[in-house]
Amino acid sequence: PSIGIKTAVKVMQLEAGLDPLAPESESPRLRRQGEFYQFVRSVVNRKELRSSFEPTYLYDARHWITSSSLVHDFTSEEGRELRCRWLEEHTLWSNEYDQLSFAHVMAINRLERQLRRVEPDVYSAGARLDRMSDSERVLYGLINDNVDWHQWHSILSDDEKSGRTDPSLFISMDDVITDMTRVK
């Protein structure tokens, strides 16, 4: 489940042994960073600014981590780029909570990936679930409960960023779920 940025900040303060209700526990930089991320969310997710013909991809900072236990590939260029973007974002705000910067970087990465790979948007994914039969929904629930793919997040490769890769070649999680529900 996705929690809001304000709630995440309060949890981080509690984990650091601070009282989140005390005004002095939130530094001005931390407050500005949280407000900026909320502003980004409100602008990107605003329906009034969208054409009814464009896909609806949402900014959702939901990757709240404990930075001491992040698993990623140190040998790949994509992993190096993730670390660099995260460090750059964290350095920009200069506060003690790198989890906020990571959640923002992952939300931006997700938006970029969805746009480049032309993944199903919020409404297409919901419509696909609505078209499922009862048995397909049960199977979908079983798959989601037993597979951890929501904990793994692919990152765009250099070829994808430069446009040298055909987006139709990528298999989305919706495609995998659809194929798995067809198996009898």
Side-chain angles (χ1 to χ4, degrees):
S2 183
I3 63 171
I5 292 169
K6 283 185 178 182
T7 305
V9 168
K10 288 181 182 187
V11 169
M12 289 174 215
Q13 290 172 325
L14 279 172
E15 288 175 347
L18 301 172
D19 178 9
L21 301 176
E24 67 274 1
S25 67
E26 186 177 55
S27 70
R29 285 183 275 185
L30 178 61
R31 186 173 27 264
R32 277 195 308 271
Q33 184 179 11
E35 288 170 354
F36 174 75
Y37 293 160
Q38 289 173 327
F39 174 75
V40 168
R41 183 174 187 254
S42 71
V43 169
V44 171
N45 295 355
R46 188 170 291 151
K47 292 179 186 177
E48 298 83 30
L49 298 177
R50 297 178 186 270
S51 161
S52 59
F53 300 106
E54 70 179 289
T56 304
Y57 299 118
L58 302 177
Y59 174 91
D60 186 15
R62 61 182 173 166
H63 306 288
W64 305 111
I65 60 157
T66 302
S67 56
S68 62
S69 62
L70 178 68
V71 178
H72 67 284
D73 186 358
F74 277 95
T75 62
S76 73
E77 178 61 24
E78 293 84 6
R80 185 197 65 76
E81 187 175 324
L82 171 66
R83 291 188 306 276
C84 289
R85 289 177 81 175
W86 181 17
L87 178 62
E88 182 179 5
E89 183 69 22
H90 183 61
T91 305
L92 174 72
W93 294 104
S94 301
N95 73 44
E96 61 277 13
Y97 300 107
D98 60 349
Q99 300 97 318
L100 280 174
S101 303
F102 182 80
H104 175 71
V105 167
M106 290 301 290
I108 297 299
N109 282 349
R110 182 172 182 243
L111 284 172
E112 288 175 353
R113 187 191 72 237
Q114 288 173 324
L115 288 167
R116 298 246 186 212
R117 292 184 181 173
V118 194
E119 293 181 1
D121 70 352
V122 174
Y123 299 111
S124 300
R128 185 185 59 74
L129 285 172
D130 291 341
R131 290 190 306 268
M132 285 183 173
S133 68
D134 289 340
S135 61
E136 288 172 332
R137 273 197 202 108
V138 168
L139 188 54
Y140 175 79
L142 288 171
I143 292 167
N144 269 340
D145 291 344
N146 293 302
V147 177
D148 66 351
W149 61 44
H150 296 294
Q151 297 176 20
W152 297 93
H153 307 281
S154 63
I155 298 173
L156 291 174
S157 69
D158 287 336
D159 287 341
E160 288 177 275
K161 289 178 189 164
S162 65
R164 293 186 298 245
T165 308
D166 181 6
S168 65
L169 299 175
F170 293 100
I171 299 171
S172 72
M173 282 302 130
D174 287 334
D175 295 334
V176 171
I177 291 169
T178 301
D179 289 343
M180 292 178 88
T181 57
R182 285 190 197 137
V183 177
K184 299 286 183 195

